[in-house]
Amino acid sequence: MSEFWLISAPGDKTCQMTWDRMNMATTKQNNLSLNTKFHMPDLKVGTLDVLVGLSDDLGKLDTYCEGIARKVSAYLGDVLEENKDKLQENLLANGMDLATYLTRFQWDMAKYPIKQSLKNICDIISKQVNQIDQDLKQKASAYNNLKGNLQSLERKATGNLLTRNLGDLVKKEDFVLGSEYLTTLLVVIPKMNVDDWFNCYEKLTDMVVPKSSRIVFEDNESALLNVTLFTRVVDEFKHHCREKKFIVRDFVYNEEELAAGKNELTKLASDKKKSFGPLVRWLKVNFSEAFTAWIHVKALRVFVESVLRYGLPVNFQAMLLRPHKKSQKRLREVLTQLYSHLDNSAYSAVGLEGTMDIPGLNMIQGDYYPYVYYKLNIDMLESKF
């Protein structure tokens, strides 16, 4: 299961008692979930007005950070291409798999100093994740252009005779070169019509050199043939070819240009290979940054909502639950029984499926419970945005 529930409940006589009570009810008595304490730092509370405003802002920041983490993850999968099955092992947070990071969460004091106000910490996270988003757009655009140009050249090198680059298929001796009056054309003909070509090409117009055509290359569908004629009748010859469904390819034999084309393909392949490693490393590092920022936002939300819900002084226990498969409904019932006393009148008024608009409590429709609750889905292979 990649689903976690991040909840909080007010401290009983001690926060340890709150933890023991929840853990006993959900794990030791019913075996409904795997539980760990979610360690919270001593954050600055600020004023009630600030907390109410932050409640809404944090909801938006939560969605944004998760979206960027998933975007980085998805693009890393695209970059890995045929090795996309190795995506999961590349998605780490601070060097740990995502579940381990979450269950062992420790606030990053260096990145997000707790002496700062909650608003300032939110701004730090927002700027950090926004920068990741902007950098990702630039890096993805550059790499996608490189990849697209390479694929275009590769298609030209491997497509059918109507579209592929002919430079790899012809030789210098297939052409009359350096003549003031003569030129050589390349014509693509369906294989079933090759005999028809040889029977009529000398008669398509005047000034076609007799016996000058031969098969240069053929694939499963078509044949590539050359033909030499006087330059002055090229347009007329092409016109009659179109009438016969013979396709004249625009091609001029130039050794320097052909060599340059081959070099361009080699260069693009080399550039892509050189870009791959640094890009993958950047994506792995910045996925970790975005994911850990997202979890810090979850921590901030738990703190703010808990203070708004349970009041001051700050006295609550944050807890992380990982429901066992098919046990979510029963787990919810147990938690409801455990904490219904926290908000009995409000909770009974709205019911399990109800909604309630409580100022300062940023709860999604249907997600109001007597305790603070947020769901996390850490399956980054699943697209949600």
Side-chain angles (χ1 to χ4, degrees):
M1 291 285 290
S2 58
E3 181 177 310
F4 289 81
W5 294 2
L6 181 55
I7 72 170
S8 80
D12 293 329
K13 291 182 179 178
T14 66
C15 288
Q16 182 63 39
M17 290 177 64
T18 303
W19 162 257
D20 290 339
R21 189 162 168 246
M22 185 282 299
N23 200 38
M24 176 67 73
T26 60
T27 301
K28 295 181 180 179
Q29 292 178 356
N30 296 287
N31 193 28
L32 299 174
S33 58
L34 292 174
N35 307 326
T36 54
K37 289 182 180 180
F38 191 82
H39 297 287
M40 297 288 298
D42 294 325
L43 296 165
K44 284 190 172 182
V45 176
T47 66
L48 180 62
D49 286 346
V50 169
L51 291 178
V52 171
L54 274 177
S55 180
D56 291 330
D57 293 343
L58 282 167
K60 297 171 186 175
L61 185 58
D62 185 344
T63 301
Y64 179 62
C65 290
E66 181 182 2
I68 299 306
R70 291 186 181 278
K71 187 191 287 189
V72 175
S73 167
Y75 191 63
L76 178 55
D78 291 343
V79 171
L80 290 175
E81 297 181 30
E82 65 271 12
N83 293 317
K84 192 172 183 177
D85 59 322
K86 296 182 179 178
L87 174 58
Q88 187 69 63
E89 65 191 63
N90 283 285
L91 296 178
L92 302 176
N94 280 5
M96 295 174 270
D97 67 78
L98 305 187
T100 300
Y101 172 80
L102 189 56
T103 55
R104 298 180 183 175
F105 175 76
Q106 295 290 332
W107 187 271
D108 192 327
M109 302 287 184
K111 286 182 184 173
Y112 316 117
I114 60 173
K115 291 183 180 180
Q116 298 266 5
S117 69
L118 296 177
K119 182 70 169 66
N120 285 351
I121 294 173
C122 288
D123 289 342
I124 291 170
I125 294 175
S126 180
K127 289 176 183 177
Q128 175 198 6
V129 175
N130 183 63
Q131 188 62 54
I132 293 173
D133 188 24
Q134 297 305 313
D135 291 347
L136 176 63
K137 289 175 182 176
Q138 294 177 1
K139 290 179 181 294
S141 177
Y143 189 76
N144 289 347
N145 286 337
L146 179 61
K147 183 178 174 181
N149 291 336
L150 178 59
Q151 288 174 337
S152 178
L153 287 181
E154 287 175 340
R155 280 194 297 271
K156 290 179 180 179
T158 59
N160 63 44
L161 290 174
L162 294 176
T163 59
R164 71 183 292 179
N165 186 349
L166 302 180
D168 294 333
L169 309 179
V170 299
K171 300 174 183 175
K172 186 175 182 179
E173 52 265 32
D174 295 325
F175 299 85
V176 172
L177 301 173
S179 171
E180 185 178 349
Y181 302 104
L182 296 175
T183 189
T184 299
L185 301 180
L186 296 175
V187 187
V188 177
I189 300 167
K191 291 180 83 170
M192 66 180 70
N193 297 337
V194 169
D195 289 342
D196 184 27
W197 164 264
F198 282 117
N199 289 331
C200 72
Y201 81 89
E202 295 177 4
K203 306 167 193 171
L204 289 177
T205 184
D206 294 335
M207 299 185 173
V208 177
V209 177
K211 308 295 182 183
S212 64
S213 181
R214 70 177 187 84
I215 296 175
V216 175
F217 181 85
E218 55 187 333
D219 59 20
N220 293 332
E221 300 175 355
S222 306
L224 180 69
L225 300 98
N226 61 353
V227 58
T228 300
L229 61 159
F230 278 75
T231 305
R232 59 186 291 185
V233 298
V234 165
D235 290 340
E236 182 184 352
F237 184 82
K238 287 182 177 180
H239 174 73
H240 292 302
C241 281
R242 284 194 295 271
E243 293 177 338
K244 290 278 192 178
K245 310 296 184 188
F246 303 147
I247 308 299
V248 178
R249 289 286 307 271
D250 289 328
F251 183 85
V252 176
Y253 187 87
N254 183 306
E255 289 185 321
E256 291 182 359
E257 290 183 5
L258 292 178
K262 292 177 182 178
N263 289 339
E264 178 67 11
L265 182 60
T266 302
K267 181 179 181 300
L268 286 174
S270 176
D271 288 347
K272 184 190 173 192
K273 189 174 181 180
K274 288 177 183 176
S275 300
F276 176 81
L279 179 58
V280 167
R281 285 192 292 275
W282 185 90
L283 289 167
K284 289 170 65 174
V285 167
N286 284 274
F287 170 79
S288 175
E289 293 290 309
F291 183 87
T292 55
W294 176 44
I295 303 306
H296 279 77
V297 172
K298 287 290 188 189
L300 287 172
R301 294 192 75 185
V302 168
F303 181 83
V304 169
E305 299 299 338
S306 296
V307 172
L308 287 171
R309 186 81 71 94
Y310 309 137
L312 294 171
V314 175
N315 180 31
F316 67 89
Q317 178 64 55
M319 299 165 281
L320 190 68
L321 287 64
R322 191 174 195 175
H324 293 313
K325 195 173 184 181
K326 298 182 180 179
S327 69
Q328 289 98 323
K329 184 177 180 181
R330 177 61 183 147
L331 178 60
R332 184 70 71 196
E333 291 171 353
V334 169
L335 291 175
T336 298
Q337 292 168 3
L338 197 59
Y339 298 121
S340 59
H341 66 282
L342 296 177
D343 198 7
N344 204 22
S345 60
Y347 197 65
S348 60
V350 297
L352 283 173
E353 302 300 324
T355 63
M356 176 174 262
D357 183 16
I358 300 178
L361 295 182
N362 189 23
M363 295 293 168
I364 302 170
Q365 182 173 359
D367 273 357
Y368 179 80
Y369 302 100
Y371 48 92
V372 172
Y373 160 80
Y374 295 105
K375 183 171 76 172
L376 294 94
N377 180 1
I378 62 169
D379 180 4
M380 290 291 136
L381 306 185
E382 175 186 324
S383 177
K384 293 179 62 181
F385 293 84

